Amino acid sequence: LPADALLRLTQLEQLVCVRCDLHGGLPHSLATLTALQRIVLSGNELDGELPVALPPALQHFVVDGNKFTGRLPIALIAAPQLVALDVARNALDHELEPYVQ
């Protein structure tokens, strides 16, 4: 995703691109989009690690059916405002025991 173009969308509330043949990683600069509430990028070819910081208003993070790798960031698991999380069908390490208390 082109980080420079996304950063200009300061009032963006939803980023929804399902099966759009997107490639590359998610820019870490997504966290600066303070109005962003919903990220739905299912069924693409996105890869790399998930961003460690999230937009403060994010409620839905749906990136199933991509090629993300690595661990789930603690910020994603512990985000109190997050009501929907779907990271299925990726190559993520789903071991949640270190995060569950």
Side-chain angles (χ1 to χ4, degrees), residues 4-5 8 17 21 23 27 29 32 34-35 38 42 44 50 52 54 59 62 64 67 72 84 91:
D4 55 339
R8 287 187 237 131
C17 295
D21 199 31
H23 293 265
S29 55
T32 64
T34 57
R38 183 181 299 244
S42 303
N44 286 290
L50 295 173
V52 294
L54 300 170
Q59 297 175 1
V62 180
D64 59 304
K67 297 180 179 181
L72 289 171

Side-chain angles (χ1 to χ4, degrees), residues 85-99:
L85 172 65
D86 189 349
V87 295
R89 296 185 328 270
N90 281 284
L92 292 168
D93 178 358
H94 289 290
E95 189 174 317
L96 295 177
E97 287 80 13
Y99 306 112

Side-chain angles (χ1 to χ4, degrees), residues 40-95:
V40 181
L41 300 170
S42 303
N44 286 290
E45 299 290 325
L46 298 170
D47 59 16
E49 294 188 357
L50 295 173
V52 294
L54 300 170
L58 191 66
Q59 297 175 1
H60 296 84
F61 187 76
V62 180
V63 294
D64 59 304
N66 282 285
K67 297 180 179 181
F68 290 111
T69 58
R71 299 194 85 164
L72 289 171
I74 189 75
L76 189 58
I77 296 168
Q81 74 283 4
L82 200 65
V83 295
L85 172 65
D86 189 349
V87 295
R89 296 185 328 270
N90 281 284
L92 292 168
D93 178 358
H94 289 290
E95 189 174 317

